[in-house]
Amino acid sequence: MKKFIFIIILFSSCTKEFAFQKEFEKKINIAGFLKANDTIHILVSYTLDNNSCEIADDKYIKDAVIYLYEDDLFVEQLVYDTINDINYNNKGYYKSQKTTCKENKNYSLKVFVKGFDTLYAKTYCPAILCIDSTHTKIKRDSNINGYFFRINSKIFFKDIYKEKNFFNFNNRGVFTCYDPVIETKKTDGFYFSMYPNTIDENKCIFSDSLFKNSTYYLDINQDITEGYMNLVINSAKKFCVPISLEVISYDAFMYYKTLFWYRKTVFNPLTELVQIYSNIKNGTGIFAGYSSYSDTITITKEMLQLKKTN
């Protein structure tokens, strides 16, 4: 992404603009999100611009040497691998052969690419935090477009760790989260909302500043038309929404936060350029850990019929 710096020189009533394009410096980009209890995959590529977080297949690197460390102890050298996707092949990935990411462990990388300085990165993998329970209420209502079901779910969990924690609530884009810990308008000290102005509507990023070491619930809502709900219920017998509560590292939190604001302001010439967070020494990108606990919100035909009688 090209960014211009404009200098305005004032001489009494005269003005003149000079535009300088920042010279592009080619760097190595690392992209690695370590999931607890999963194989480790690291993507290595060249940067596309000076503030790049995007990865392009034609920029991948297949001859890098990557050493993986756990709690500062060497565990293995990652091997080059192509991850097969339904529609395309993701190139440039390196994976562990014998190591899975463990909860409450620190991980670091040492990356060698010919012609570039050695790259270093370090992060940690948080422990899994369980969802204690989910409580769902349904109300049948109407507007000028007809009848719909207003669904409200509360997701209960307990923040049990002493250090400051960061979270991502993933609801597959079905529900809207307007919760005090997520809404950006409440304060800029603990927030981060990626909905509705979002790069990924599945992500709701927040910290535990408001509910430290206590039980909390996320309040989520969704209006679904009666016709669509009945169509799903009649064919599948139930309406299911997969959800997950992820505990993310500080590195992941800062990366998502700055990425959001970068994309929100990059095309506005009147705003200051937001630098995307990176914890890669001598390169760019992100190396971060997270853990995930999955659950399902289920709505049955009996629940909807009960509401119709009210």
Side-chain angles (χ1 to χ4, degrees), residues 57-284:
D57 255 0
D58 60 351
K59 300 292 184 181
Y60 72 94
I61 300 171
K62 63 180 181 180
D63 58 353
V65 177
I66 305 178
Y67 294 149
L68 175 68
Y69 299 81
E70 183 180 277
D71 287 341
D72 295 326
L73 298 177
F74 174 77
V75 287
E76 66 172 298
Q77 179 178 338
L78 304 187
V79 298
Y80 180 77
D81 181 55
T82 298
I83 299 178
N84 294 318
D85 190 87
I86 295 176
N87 300 315
Y88 60 90
N89 287 332
N90 288 319
K91 300 176 182 179
Y93 276 95
Y94 295 76
K95 71 173 184 179
S96 59
Q97 292 183 295
K98 60 182 181 180
T99 306
T100 56
C101 185
K102 301 180 182 64
E103 301 173 49
N104 293 322
K105 289 287 186 178
N106 296 302
Y107 290 91
S108 54
L109 294 176
K110 187 181 293 185
V111 182
F112 302 90
V113 178
K114 187 176 181 180
F116 293 85
D117 292 337
T118 303
L119 290 83
Y120 302 90
K122 190 170 185 177
T123 192
Y124 68 96
C125 182
I128 294 174
L129 181 63
C130 297
I131 295 175
D132 292 333
S133 62
T134 61
H135 298 172
T136 299
K137 294 183 179 180
I138 304 173
K139 179 182 178 181
R140 187 171 182 257
D141 209 337
S142 64
N143 54 27
I144 59 174
N145 297 317
Y147 285 98
F148 64 91
F149 291 103
R150 176 155 292 167
I151 303 171
N152 170 262
S153 291
K154 291 179 172 57
I155 316 300
F156 289 82
F157 62 95
K158 186 175 182 180
D159 183 40
I160 59 176
Y161 308 116
K162 293 182 179 180
E163 66 272 13
K164 188 172 184 178
N165 297 298
F166 305 94
F167 304 91
N168 170 39
F169 174 67
N170 192 322
N171 68 102
R172 310 301 190 270
V174 175
F175 287 92
T176 302
C177 294
Y178 287 118
D179 192 272
V181 301
I182 295 176
E183 277 192 284
T184 61
K185 67 182 182 181
K186 299 297 182 181
T187 176
D188 60 2
F190 55 81
Y191 76 86
F192 185 51
S193 173
M194 301 187 74
Y195 191 97
N197 297 316
T198 178
I199 57 171
D200 182 349
E201 64 182 8
N202 295 336
K203 295 188 184 305
C204 295
I205 309 297
F206 58 100
S207 77
D208 61 357
S209 297
L210 283 187
F211 54 90
K212 194 69 182 170
N213 299 322
S214 62
T215 298
Y216 192 78
Y217 68 83
L218 293 174
D219 204 343
I220 62 177
N221 300 279
Q222 180 65 15
D223 293 342
I224 300 178
T225 63
E226 186 176 56
Y228 176 74
M229 179 67 80
N230 287 335
L231 178 64
V232 174
I233 291 291
N234 290 333
S235 59
K237 308 302 181 185
K238 55 186 177 181
F239 183 83
C240 297
V241 181
I243 60 173
S244 62
L245 181 65
E246 298 175 354
V247 184
I248 63 177
S249 65
Y250 171 80
D251 300 304
F253 177 81
M254 290 301 300
Y255 170 75
Y256 285 129
K257 180 177 179 179
T258 54
L259 176 59
F260 171 79
W261 287 112
Y262 171 76
R263 293 191 175 179
K264 195 175 179 67
T265 60
V266 66
F267 295 110
N268 187 344
L270 300 179
T271 59
E272 184 179 353
L273 177 65
V274 176
Q275 184 67 44
I276 299 174
Y277 175 86
S278 174
N279 61 342
I280 310 298
K281 183 180 179 180
N282 298 328
T284 65

